[in-house]
Amino acid sequence: MTEKIAGKTLEEWVKESPIIDTLVNGEVVFWINDKKKGFEEAKDTVQFNRADVIDAEERLQRFAPFIKQEFADTEALDGLIESPITHLEAFQKELEDRYQVNIAGQLYLKRDDLLPIAGTIKARGAIYEVLCHAETLALESGLLESTEVNYRVFSEPKFREYFSQFKVIVGTTGNLGISTGVMAAKFGFDAIIHMSNDAKQWKKDYLRSHGVTVIEHNTNFTEAVNQGRIAAEADPQSYFVDDENSKYLFLGYTTAASRLKKQLDQEGIKVDADHPLFVYLPCGVGGSPGGITFGLKHTFGDNVHCFFAEPSHVPSLLLGLITGEYANVSVFDFGIDGKTVMDGLAVPRTSQLVAPLMENFFDGGYTVLEDEASQTLTRLVDVEKISLEPAAVAGLSGPAKLFKTQAGQAYLSAKGLMDKQDQITHIAWATGGSMVPDEDKKAFYEAGLVK
Ligand SMILES: Cc1ncc(COP(=O)(O)O)c(C=O)c1O
């Protein structure tokens, strides 16, 4: 009997959506989400709204004095965890030459590789979730009298002592663990990180050096998350940061949007119907690109266009959305091996929280080949002297693919943007890299040298 995937054979899936054949063959795709609604309609159909985003922004603001006190690298931004944007004039030309295509508009890089504390996009969600948990426990216990007091009190020994009886547990390919672990340990929680076999050794070493317990699993991301969840369920004193399902992670990511708007305003970069913003986000389980997209749509409405980038060996969100089965299907079900140098994106099954939500908001997705990512990483070092980790470069090929592919051209035309292309601002979201040890940086660089 032919094996079925969520009730259908592979042949049936391919017949229904021929693009699945391209994905199964590991070839690149550029896919437009035709189920997306206009923002005004979409915003009323989901469980989160603008008030949730504002609530998250206010919580981060309340904790800013504590963060500023505890992490010297947040001093300049008064305790806000934020990253700059960099104009990539020379690299835009490099992309044009490599992909043999004209890229209209201006290309920028959002530097979450430089984000304070953990140097990765995952810090936005992870740190926010740890703050939520600490605030809830502190209010319940009476240690924190109200949300009106100065949150510098969280540095007092009695808080650390109280939190030390609780565990914070997470399952991760690495970066979520770094962000959660470092922040949880700072509060005094017992932080335990379950890591998948994709996690890099330096990430484990780094966490251990920060007093965090690392449990190594010889399994993929989905299984490492499961192991963490099981461990947390067995212990009433523990709290599980659930990369696949957490609304707190999601809301933490959303807060990037209003800050980006401020930065663009400061740079004099307009975003409106005549000056569209295109954002390209690396996608693993979908939480960080999903949350940021949700925030961006609430900030810029239909004038922002968000595309997610996945490795051609791990197109889990694309398969989840194209089939409409979301987290019911994994890349393995389709015979795709899930192996990638882009370790942060090595997630075989998408998030059941984020995938259905994104169906309403994100504009499309594309896949990136292994060599393509490696070469982008190396050329970015050569041309701009910026060194990212492999997962973090996935957004950079987005503008080239938008203009090079038929699907991209059709998208621009359908949105009435053909005569506004020169006014496009493209932002590739760099999601990590500053913490990578020199030895690993060298190996990544060498892997992308064209032989
Ligand atoms: C460097 C990097 N970029 C992007 C992502 C994708 O984030 P998400 O898994 O929330 O989609 C991750 C996830 O760990 C990551 O480590």
Side-chain angles (χ1 to χ4, degrees):
M1 199 181 76
T2 318
E3 229 173 280
K4 300 234 170 156
I5 309 161
K8 291 180 194 158
T9 63
L10 178 59
E11 288 67 32
E12 285 167 338
W13 280 120
V14 169
K15 198 163 168 217
E16 202 174 291
S17 308
I19 196 170
I20 290 181
D21 197 36
T22 318
L23 289 170
V24 167
N25 290 331
E27 293 158 27
V28 286
V29 302
F30 194 91
W31 178 77
I32 301 302
N33 174 19
D34 58 12
K35 293 195 186 137
K36 200 202 81 163
K37 305 182 183 84
F39 174 68
E40 283 307 317
E41 191 189 339
K43 77 179 190 341
D44 297 326
T45 61
V46 296
Q47 72 264 46
F48 303 117
N49 56 34
R50 187 185 300 281
D52 294 314
V53 179
I54 292 170
D55 181 54
E57 287 170 354
E58 288 176 354
R59 182 162 295 100
L60 284 164
Q61 197 63 57
R62 286 201 291 281
F63 271 102
F66 165 76
I67 292 172
K68 183 176 174 185
Q69 177 158 293
E70 295 290 336
F71 297 96
D73 53 348
T74 66
E75 174 90 32
L77 284 174
D78 265 344
L80 282 195
I81 301 160
E82 199 40 77
S83 71
I85 50 174
T86 305
H87 193 189
L88 295 187
E89 235 174 317
F91 195 73
Q92 183 167 346
K93 179 83 187 57
E94 148 71 24
L95 284 173
E96 289 183 327
D97 290 347
R98 185 143 58 95
Y99 286 87
Q100 291 290 293
V101 67
N102 178 47
I103 299 176
Q106 297 294 318
L107 174 63
Y108 289 79
L109 191 64
K110 178 65 175 160
R111 305 296 307 277
D112 275 9
D113 55 307
L114 302 179
L115 214 53
I117 304 180
T120 155
I121 194 168
K122 298 297 280 187
R124 295 181 181 275
I127 288 174
Y128 177 70
E129 177 145 10
V130 176
L131 300 182
C132 287
H133 183 51
E135 186 182 58
T136 304
L137 286 178
L139 284 169
E140 278 171 8
S141 67
L143 269 177
L144 183 68
E145 282 158 22
S146 84
T147 54
E148 304 294 314
V149 303
N150 187 319
Y151 275 27
R152 272 203 298 261
V153 293
F154 277 90
S155 295
E156 290 174 8
K158 64 179 181 200
F159 278 79
R160 280 188 67 82
E161 207 173 294
Y162 180 69
F163 290 141
S164 69
Q165 61 184 305
F166 299 103
K167 293 192 183 91
V168 171
I169 300 180
V170 64
T172 173
T173 58
N175 283 340
L176 183 72
I178 291 192
S179 318
T180 311
V182 170
M183 196 45 146
K186 186 62 86 180
F187 276 109
F189 290 115
D190 184 5
I192 301 172
I193 316 295
H194 292 254
M195 284 187 142
S196 64
N197 53 8
D198 311 287
K200 294 270 176 277
Q201 187 58 40
W202 69 265
K203 294 182 180 172
K204 300 173 197 167
D205 297 342
Y206 179 85
L207 278 166
R208 288 187 173 122
S209 76
H210 276 72
V212 172
T213 304
V214 175
I215 299 176
E216 299 180 54
H217 295 281
N218 193 17
T219 63
N220 64 49
F221 166 84
T222 309
E223 265 315 300
V225 172
N226 272 341
Q227 293 302 322
R229 194 180 286 124
I230 289 165
E233 277 167 8
D235 181 351
Q237 292 293 85
S238 71
Y239 179 86
F240 183 55
V241 176
D242 189 344
D243 206 7
E244 291 177 328
N245 294 301
S246 167
K247 75 172 200 179
Y248 300 106
L249 287 178
F250 183 82
L251 292 171
Y253 298 128
T254 65
T255 63
S258 62
R259 297 172 183 189
L260 179 66
K261 179 173 181 342
K262 266 190 212 139
Q263 282 177 325
L264 294 177
D265 288 347
Q266 277 160 9
E267 298 280 326
I269 299 169
K270 269 196 221 158
V271 179
D272 57 29
D274 291 329
H275 301 84
L277 177 64
F278 277 66
V279 182
Y280 310 89
L281 295 134
C283 174
V285 74
S288 67
I292 289 177
T293 293
F294 187 80
L296 287 171
K297 294 281 176 181
H298 271 277
T299 307
F300 299 109
D302 292 325
N303 297 325
V304 65
H305 306 260
C306 299
F307 291 87
F308 292 7
E310 295 188 290
S312 61
H313 285 253
V314 209
S316 45
L317 179 89
L318 283 179
L319 280 172
L321 288 184
I322 291 167
T323 59
E325 291 289 334
Y326 314 123
N328 288 335
V329 292
S330 93
V331 299
F332 302 135
D333 298 338
F334 287 86
I336 304 173
D337 67 10
K339 290 199 170 72
T340 177
V341 64
M342 295 166 253
D343 59 318
L345 313 183
V347 175
R349 192 183 293 278
T350 189
S351 158
Q352 188 60 33
L353 172 78
V354 178
L357 211 127
M358 273 307 106
E359 195 158 74
N360 298 291
F361 293 100
F362 96 131
D363 294 281
Y366 62 88
T367 53
V368 181
L369 301 173
E370 296 297 293
D371 282 354
E372 207 182 349
S374 291
Q375 282 174 29
T376 303
L377 184 149
T378 303
R379 294 302 293 148
L380 190 68
V381 177
D382 291 343
V383 175
E384 302 279 356
K385 306 275 172 284
I386 295 174
S387 181
L388 301 179
E389 61 180 281
V393 303
L396 274 161
S397 51
K401 289 169 190 271
L402 174 74
F403 290 109
K404 180 100 182 171
T405 59
Q406 251 180 12
Q409 287 291 324
Y411 180 82
L412 289 168
S413 170
K415 297 285 166 191
L417 299 177
M418 288 312 253
D419 59 346
K420 296 173 185 159
Q421 297 179 39
D422 289 337
Q423 284 112 260
I424 296 178
T425 300
H426 303 274
I427 297 188
W429 214 285
T431 51
S434 60
M435 292 178 57
V436 176
D438 287 345
E439 206 180 307
D440 294 56
K441 274 189 188 156
K442 189 163 169 277
F444 290 149
Y445 178 82
E446 283 169 1
L449 289 171
V450 180
K451 283 122 203 160

